[in-house]
Amino acid sequence: ESETTQKIRQDWALYMERLCYFFTVEFFCKKAVAILMQENADQPAFLGFRKCIEVLFKRYKKDKGEKDIPEQTWLEFIFDEATSEYDAKRINNLLFFAGITKEELALTPRKNADDGEKKKSDDKIEAQKTDHAEHEATPKKPAFDGDMKLYARVEALVKEGKPQFQLFSICRQEKLGGNSAIFKAIRAVMADQAKQAKGST
């Protein structure tokens, strides 16, 4: 190859690369459909595109089968709701079926939106079960930061149905604490019992 030819190739390389891009699957297929979808009286050459591609899709779906092509319309087939864009590979395969593009491309199965929502719901329920199990497995700590011996005694007396004035008397006689400590223990026992009652309903 002569130096002149090499120079010409180098000078035109950028333009040729750009030109080739216009005929890539990603650009050409999306742009072709987007333009042909603009059916109006000002573009008579585009009229009938939707009808033609609908007929093409029905034949394509029949050839491939319901399992591979679950979509019911050609627009559902070529439009990707996840990205809100046309799917270039799916358009390419429709055009390949019509003998326009040169090769059929492998398609990535789409996830069913309902399946995704169901999985989220199942995951949420499972997480709630786990949290509940962990909560049940965690030992209950009384809302009391004082002498646990005093707390246990007050709790036992409350379960026996002793009135509050007797709680003070008994705990003082047993030298478990003063009035202030006993009062805190009674309040803590009452609070814990209220929580347990609420949790059981």
Side-chain angles (χ1 to χ4, degrees):
E1 189 177 80
S2 66
E3 292 183 5
T4 303
T5 304
Q6 288 182 355
K7 182 68 167 59
I8 293 173
R9 284 182 179 278
Q10 290 174 358
D11 292 342
W12 280 91
L14 179 62
Y15 300 101
M16 293 303 295
E17 182 179 346
R18 183 63 176 169
L19 179 64
C20 289
Y21 168 73
F22 293 131
F23 294 93
T24 59
V25 169
E26 187 66 25
F27 181 87
F28 175 77
C29 291
K30 286 183 178 181
K31 185 62 70 174
V33 168
I35 292 176
L36 291 170
M37 286 276 285
Q38 300 172 12
E39 292 184 318
N40 54 61
D42 297 330
Q43 300 288 347
F46 299 166
L47 294 177
F49 169 73
R50 296 178 188 233
K51 182 62 178 178
C52 292
I53 197 170
E54 181 182 352
V55 172
L56 175 64
F57 172 73
K58 287 180 179 178
R59 182 64 184 272
Y60 178 72
K61 179 180 173 70
K62 184 178 180 181
D63 185 77
K64 293 294 182 180
E66 183 73 28
K67 183 178 180 180
D68 290 337
I69 312 294
E71 292 81 5
Q72 298 304 310
T73 67
W74 64 271
L75 198 53
E76 289 176 5
F77 177 70
I78 69 171
F79 190 75
D80 188 350
E81 291 186 356
T83 60
S84 298
E85 292 183 356
Y86 292 119
D87 190 318
K89 288 184 178 180
R90 288 170 178 259
I91 297 171
N92 171 85
N93 287 2
L94 265 181
L95 298 180
F96 173 79
F97 187 71
I100 298 172
T101 52
K102 67 178 183 179
E103 63 178 340
E104 188 171 21
L105 303 176
L107 301 180
T108 303
R110 288 175 178 167
K111 293 182 179 180
N112 189 307
D114 293 336
D115 291 343
E117 290 301 319
K118 184 177 184 302
K119 185 177 186 305
K120 287 181 181 179
S121 178
D122 291 343
D123 290 345
K124 185 176 181 180
I125 292 173
E126 193 62 33
Q128 289 175 342
K129 286 181 179 179
T130 302
D131 290 343
H132 181 71
E134 290 178 352
H135 178 71
E136 290 298 316
T138 303
K140 302 292 190 301
K141 291 184 178 181
F144 182 64
D145 57 1
D147 184 357
M148 293 309 299
K149 185 177 180 181
L150 171 60
Y151 176 91
R153 182 58 174 145
V154 170
E155 184 179 37
L157 292 172
V158 169
K159 287 181 179 179
E160 291 174 11
K162 300 289 186 182
Q164 194 170 106
F165 74 91
Q166 286 190 4
L167 300 182
F168 282 97
S169 177
I170 294 172
C171 288
R172 282 199 303 269
Q173 288 177 1
E174 296 178 2
K175 298 181 180 180
L176 294 174
N179 288 341
S180 177
I182 296 170
F183 177 74
K184 286 182 180 180
I186 294 172
R187 191 167 60 178
V189 169
M190 296 298 184
D192 289 338
Q193 286 186 342
K195 287 180 183 179
Q196 290 173 9
K198 185 177 180 181
S200 62
T201 57

